[in-house]
Amino acid sequence: MIKKMKKISKNSPLPLYYQLKELLFELIKEGRLKTGDRLPAARKLAEYQDVSRMTVKKAVDELVNNGYLVRKQGSGTFVAELNKEYEISPIASFSEEMKKKGLSFKTELIKFDIINDKNAAEKLNIEAEDRIYHLQRLRIIDDLPFLLENTYLPIKDFPSLEKENLQESSLFKIMKERYGCILSRAEAEIEPVIINKDTAEKMGIKKQVLGLYLEQFTYSSDNKILEYTSAYYRNDSYKFKLKFKLNNLEEV
Amino acid sequence: MIKKMKKISKNSPLPLYYQLKELLFELIKEGRLKTGDRLPAARKLAEYQDVSRMTVKKAVDELVNNGYLVRKQGSGTFVAELNKEYEISPIASFSEEMKKKGLSFKTELIKFDIINDKNAAEKLNIEAEDRIYHLQRLRIIDDLPFLLENTYLPIKDFPSLEKENLQESSLFKIMKERYGCILSRAEAEIEPVIINKDTAEKMGIKKQVLGLYLEQFTYSSDNKILEYTSAYYRNDSYKFKLKFKLNNLEEV
DNA sequence: TAGGATAAGTGGTATATACCAATTATACAT
DNA sequence: ATGTATAATTGGTATATACCACTTATCCTA
């Protein structure tokens, strides 16, 4: 069994399979379970945690679905490659990829304002007079900025958000942990653009360059827009990559 | 119960939950189950199909995961909106979106050659001397081409593929049904480009335009490259859209 | 020693059952 | 007619059990 593995709690309001999933995920994230490592057999893990094998299966199922684990019938369940197989969120895949290469990834908060903007309000599907947070952030890999993004959040959904919070933690993390948001899905539109001088300068680019412009909406599980982001990705030093799972039902 | 619903076969080598999933998916695809329709209750469906409720649950689970169905505890399980919530494959989302708007979607096969190309072989991760199918296809919506793509397939994996097959059915469908491929995942890189005159002309564009260039690799479940496609997307009349699910485990 | 049969271990599917949580329908009292 | 309590229905979680399919380890035989 995994050394000093925590036990899940039977008294928790959270489902057992969910607790187990989180527990295993933490072990992977913390590196106590490394790429290629074999998980304890489902039967053993079930015995150790004092739950049924089916409960273990359900926990593992979800991690397999999310690409963190790989099953091999007759052989075992193994930790998948660190660069997750199904990673679509563009920034996530950038940061993963860079971390893999041992490069540093950081975010610089350029602006944090409270605004009142008709266009942004429309995008967020709220009243024109509603106040909105406007964040401008620069994403940097190894001192080289690769995207400049403007994020808009309705104040009413995220009361008393402070600049400091954002410097300590990631926005998504704050949304989830502090405001209890359930981030469910996102939609993005991608366009080729010639990055204007002003934007380019903020990224430290001198001449006009070709780049990608991306608009993204993040939705909660009840289909409300939680966040709207538009971003300019430079293309001269980075590549925009998507990894996705093919659902065996669709045609095309 | 759904009118004249087929019964699944207990003698089939396919798992019961899998048969049921396919059956339900067919009903949705054929429109016999429409957006918003309620599925029979799991207990009823289990009784009708003579399987356990857990088996029904597993079948429905997968369709929920793929965004075709939506569950509401205490209320029922419903058919989700036609435009699937989690659709990443760019072409799939194009065609779905267009069908929704009542526009026609067709594919024109411009080239079907057998070639011997070092670059393509390298991309496909096969020997330089291996022969390769080269397909050039134009995707058209309502008589307006929106992308030109070059697809490369190793001959050894798809013996005796004919031009005629491709005109009748989609490539993915052929790969799956005729060659028994399990399409597992794909990776794509997106770049902004100025579409050259030759390419633009094939799409019926007169002047030079900004567009997107996409390279995509499709992998089988055992991680082999099944297909390599590069495509030019025009951006003057269409928008490149991605829809994806947010996995509640990741940060960013 | 090599090969093949066997056993053990792993994940995969399937069932029957039990109880919980949320929603909806019903019956009843006012 | 309205509101409220209750029952019925639906999906959610969890268990114990059984057997299958595939892989790996072991043992025995030639």
Side-chain angles (χ1 to χ4, degrees):
Chain A
M1 189 55 51
I2 300 158
K3 268 185 280 184
K4 290 192 223 161
M5 189 187 193
K6 269 200 295 188
K7 296 273 175 84
I8 61 174
S9 158
K10 296 254 178 180
N11 303 318
S12 164
L14 296 169
L16 302 177
Y17 82 90
Y18 185 86
Q19 291 181 58
L20 187 52
K21 180 181 81 172
E22 295 272 301
L23 205 168
L24 290 170
F25 179 63
E26 217 160 289
L27 291 173
I28 296 167
K29 211 170 60 175
E30 287 173 2
R32 285 179 56 194
L33 282 172
K34 294 187 191 64
T35 303
D37 282 2
R38 208 185 86 177
L39 244 64
R43 286 169 178 86
K44 300 275 173 60
L45 197 48
E47 191 191 4
Y48 179 81
Q49 291 285 357
D50 190 28
V51 295
S52 77
R53 186 181 151 214
M54 294 306 284
T55 299
V56 171
K57 191 178 184 317
K58 177 147 191 187
V60 173
D61 270 347
E62 303 214 350
L63 291 169
V64 169
N65 263 324
N66 288 332
Y68 294 103
L69 297 175
V70 176
R71 280 212 185 90
K72 284 181 190 149
Q73 189 174 153
S75 174
T77 301
F78 305 84
V79 178
E81 275 190 59
L82 262 142
N83 61 334
K84 254 185 44 233
E85 281 190 355
Y86 317 118
E87 184 61 84
I88 305 106
S89 168
I91 299 169
S93 54
F94 264 103
S95 67
E96 288 271 349
E97 194 121 338
M98 294 308 135
K99 267 186 242 163
K100 205 178 103 192
K101 290 182 188 163
L103 303 173
S104 74
F105 172 77
K106 68 178 186 231
T107 302
E108 190 178 300
L109 187 61
I110 298 176
K111 276 188 196 166
F112 179 87
D113 296 326
I114 290 173
I115 62 165
N116 208 296
D117 185 82
K118 215 180 107 187
N119 292 328
E122 199 176 326
K123 295 275 188 187
L124 289 169
N125 201 20
I126 58 178
E127 300 300 321
E129 60 273 15
D130 286 351
R131 290 193 307 161
I132 297 169
Y133 293 114
H134 171 214
L135 284 61
Q136 188 170 68
R137 293 182 293 176
L138 195 61
R139 307 276 191 165
I140 302 163
I141 288 167
D142 246 19
D143 299 322
L144 195 61
F146 72 98
L147 80 84
L148 179 71
E149 68 183 5
N150 287 288
T151 300
Y152 303 90
L153 304 154
I155 288 201
K156 65 169 165 24
D157 296 329
F158 305 99
S160 63
L161 182 64
E162 301 287 340
K163 197 171 177 173
E164 288 67 36
N165 308 139
L166 285 158
Q167 277 157 346
E168 287 157 16
S169 180
S170 83
L171 178 58
F172 273 23
K173 208 168 174 180
I174 293 170
M175 288 165 82
K176 283 190 286 191
E177 291 177 6
R178 180 159 163 195
Y179 296 96
C181 290
I182 300 173
L183 309 178
S184 148
R185 63 192 183 88
E187 292 188 8
E189 281 182 4
I190 302 172
E191 289 176 56
V193 287
I194 295 163
I195 297 180
N196 68 42
K197 210 181 142 192
D198 184 49
T199 305
E201 253 172 25
K202 284 184 178 154
M203 289 197 261
I205 312 171
K206 297 246 164 59
K207 55 177 183 167
Q208 259 196 349
V209 289
L210 218 48
L212 293 171
Y213 175 70
L214 184 139
E215 287 200 338
Q216 180 173 321
F217 297 87
T218 305
Y219 293 85
S220 66
S221 56
D222 55 348
N223 246 14
K224 211 178 65 174
I225 298 173
L226 291 175
E227 172 253 5
Y228 159 67
T229 294
S230 68
Y232 289 92
Y233 285 71
R234 69 192 287 181
N235 190 247
D236 53 347
S237 355
Y238 300 103
K239 278 217 178 141
F240 192 103
K241 204 166 183 176
L242 303 173
K243 297 181 184 184
F244 50 93
K245 208 167 163 176
L246 290 172
N247 153 3
N248 60 0
L249 294 173
E250 58 204 337
E251 293 189 19
V252 178
Chain B
M1 191 52 53
I2 299 158
K3 268 185 281 184
K4 288 191 223 161
M5 189 188 193
K6 270 200 293 190
K7 297 273 176 81
I8 61 174
S9 159
K10 296 254 179 180
N11 303 318
S12 163
L14 296 168
L16 302 178
Y17 83 88
Y18 185 87
Q19 291 181 58
L20 187 51
K21 179 182 83 172
E22 295 271 303
L23 205 168
L24 289 170
F25 180 63
E26 216 161 290
L27 291 173
I28 295 166
K29 212 170 59 175
E30 287 174 0
R32 285 178 57 193
L33 283 171
K34 295 185 192 66
T35 303
D37 283 2
R38 209 186 84 178
L39 244 65
R43 287 168 176 87
K44 298 277 174 60
L45 198 48
E47 190 192 4
Y48 179 81
Q49 291 285 356
D50 192 28
V51 295
S52 78
R53 186 181 149 211
M54 295 305 285
T55 300
V56 171
K57 191 178 184 318
K58 176 146 192 189
V60 173
D61 270 347
E62 303 215 348
L63 291 168
V64 169
N65 264 323
N66 288 330
Y68 293 104
L69 297 175
V70 176
R71 280 211 184 90
K72 285 179 190 150
Q73 189 174 152
S75 175
T77 302
F78 304 84
V79 178
E81 275 190 59
L82 261 142
N83 61 332
K84 252 184 46 231
E85 283 190 352
Y86 318 118
E87 183 62 84
I88 306 107
S89 167
I91 300 168
S93 56
F94 264 102
S95 68
E96 288 270 348
E97 196 122 337
M98 292 308 133
K99 266 186 240 163
K100 207 179 102 191
K101 290 182 186 162
L103 303 174
S104 73
F105 173 78
K106 67 178 187 230
T107 301
E108 191 178 297
L109 186 62
I110 298 177
K111 276 188 197 165
F112 179 87
D113 296 328
I114 290 173
I115 62 166
N116 209 296
D117 184 82
K118 213 179 111 188
N119 291 328
E122 198 177 328
K123 295 275 189 185
L124 289 169
N125 201 20
I126 58 178
E127 301 298 324
E129 62 272 19
D130 287 351
R131 291 194 306 160
I132 297 169
Y133 292 114
H134 172 214
L135 284 60
Q136 189 171 66
R137 293 181 295 176
L138 194 62
R139 307 276 191 165
I140 302 163
I141 289 167
D142 246 19
D143 299 323
L144 195 63
F146 71 99
L147 78 85
L148 179 71
E149 67 183 6
N150 288 287
T151 300
Y152 302 89
L153 304 155
I155 288 200
K156 65 171 164 22
D157 295 330
F158 306 98
S160 64
L161 182 63
E162 301 287 339
K163 197 170 177 175
E164 288 67 37
N165 308 138
L166 286 158
Q167 277 157 345
E168 285 157 16
S169 181
S170 84
L171 178 59
F172 274 22
K173 208 169 173 178
I174 292 170
M175 288 166 81
K176 284 189 285 189
E177 292 178 4
R178 181 161 162 192
Y179 297 97
C181 291
I182 299 173
L183 308 178
S184 149
R185 62 192 184 87
E187 291 188 8
E189 282 182 3
I190 303 172
E191 289 177 53
V193 288
I194 294 164
I195 296 179
N196 68 40
K197 210 180 142 194
D198 184 47
T199 305
E201 253 172 25
K202 284 186 178 154
M203 288 198 260
I205 312 171
K206 298 246 162 59
K207 55 180 184 171
Q208 260 195 350
V209 290
L210 220 48
L212 293 170
Y213 174 70
L214 185 141
E215 286 199 339
Q216 179 173 322
F217 296 88
T218 305
Y219 293 84
S220 65
S221 55
D222 54 348
N223 248 12
K224 212 177 65 174
I225 297 174
L226 291 174
E227 171 254 5
Y228 160 67
T229 293
S230 67
Y232 290 92
Y233 285 71
R234 69 192 287 181
N235 190 248
D236 54 347
S237 356
Y238 299 104
K239 277 214 179 145
F240 192 103
K241 205 167 183 175
L242 303 173
K243 298 181 184 184
F244 51 94
K245 209 166 163 175
L246 291 171
N247 153 5
N248 59 0
L249 295 172
E250 60 205 334
E251 293 189 19
V252 178

